[in-house]
Amino acid sequence: MRNRAGNVRGRACRSWEGGALAAGLLALALLCGCAGRQAAPAPTPDPAGEPASAPVPALPKASPETVARHEPTPTPAPTPFSIAWITDTQTMTMYPSLAPALLPTFRWIAQSREEYNTQLLIHTGDFVENGWNPLHWERINPAIALLEGELPFLPVAGNHDVAKKVLSYEPYLAQPFIAWQAPERQYRGGEGYYERFTAGGTDFLVLGLRYLSVNEAGLAWAREVFRQNDDCVGILAVHSYLSYGSDRTSELTGHGALLRQEVVAPCGNVRMVLSGHVKGNALRIENFDDDGDGQPERQVVCMRHNYQQNRYPDQVGYLRMLIFDPVSRAVSVLTCAPAQGSFTADPDRADEERFTIENAF
């Protein structure tokens, strides 16, 4: 059965009615004046589209002091908390007219950490249009740098980051934010990474597996990390998982099918999967019978959001806030664009951009 945001109802998912966090973002929208804007002119690509041919030097490993600044802060029970999630920012790095949205977007994520009790920012890949073009990284790295010392960051490489010229992590692993990572939580120097934290009285483990590492060795690493931390609620962050789900395609991408079979199904603590890659929004809720008694015990929520198709300055910079309620065990999903002072990319599809998932963790 296909499950999409706005179409999944009953006990699993309901429309989002907001609350204190909604009021805060509504004030932001009014302050930024999102109503009545005129459409901006279409952007033009860079005249120089050739990737750099020189190899990118590797950066040194993180020092203990650097890693300490990027650890999540434990929060007492039963305090609500949030995880920020952004993905597929490549369009903003390709077009000079869209790049100005990057700084205010990441600045808002960092500065709102206390207000929303944000524990972590996840980026599910395609940071840039071409990972081998230094200009594209130069456009997004100043925005990412705003997180340093402010908010833990879990990055996941997408195909545009590592497979545009040749299949290689070389340019991606040379980016400054990789040096923020604790080496003992890395897979192969940054091809995978995980964060463990306590929030709202619950232990969480968020694991990111990069695009080129969805293979036998990478899947085994992810599976082992989840199993060694089976006291945690598991969240898997990958670039590619949910497909379009039309009559002509599967609900899962090729990577998604592998990840479901090798990680999500056998690891009984995985409760959520986040992905981008495919354009648009999608929601798939699946139940697993882990003990084989014929009754499903575990619900896994799989989400995709991706606005890379937006090509106008007033249509970019969208992210999601996942707001965890430790009392009801529900997650409220709020799609917003702080740089635009906006709640939704398309008001006619608001139920795909603001909703609540019951029994989510």
Side-chain angles (χ1 to χ4, degrees), residues 70-193:
H70 293 85
E71 295 296 325
T73 303
T75 63
T79 308
F81 63 94
S82 301
I83 291 176
W85 169 29
I86 193 168
T87 191
D88 292 273
T89 50
Q90 72 260 44
T91 307
M92 289 183 280
T93 70
M94 180 170 62
Y95 295 109
S97 60
L98 304 186
L102 288 165
L103 277 171
T105 298
F106 281 81
R107 182 180 296 115
W108 182 86
I109 294 169
Q111 292 181 347
S112 65
R113 178 182 186 181
E114 183 175 352
E115 181 179 359
Y116 295 99
N117 195 14
T118 308
Q119 297 297 302
L120 180 70
L121 170 64
I122 299 170
H123 193 308
T124 47
D126 280 359
F127 286 76
V128 296
E129 173 64 21
N130 182 351
W132 292 89
N133 188 331
L135 178 60
H136 294 182
W137 288 110
E138 288 171 10
R139 287 185 175 144
I140 195 170
N141 274 333
I144 297 174
L146 296 174
L147 303 173
E148 187 170 10
E150 297 294 332
L151 185 67
F153 181 45
L154 191 141
V156 175
N159 56 303
H160 281 259
D161 305 320
V162 297
K164 192 72 173 181
K165 180 182 178 182
V166 295
L167 302 180
S168 171
Y169 281 108
E170 184 180 345
Y172 172 80
L173 294 180
Q175 300 313 311
F177 54 81
I178 297 296
W180 301 350
Q181 298 178 352
E184 66 272 15
R185 296 201 296 272
Q186 287 181 327
Y187 170 64
R188 290 171 54 93
E191 295 180 17
Y193 191 66

Side-chain angles (χ1 to χ4, degrees), residues 24-39:
L25 281 176
L26 179 58
L28 172 68
L30 295 174
L31 179 64
C32 295
C34 61
R37 290 194 309 271
Q38 298 297 317

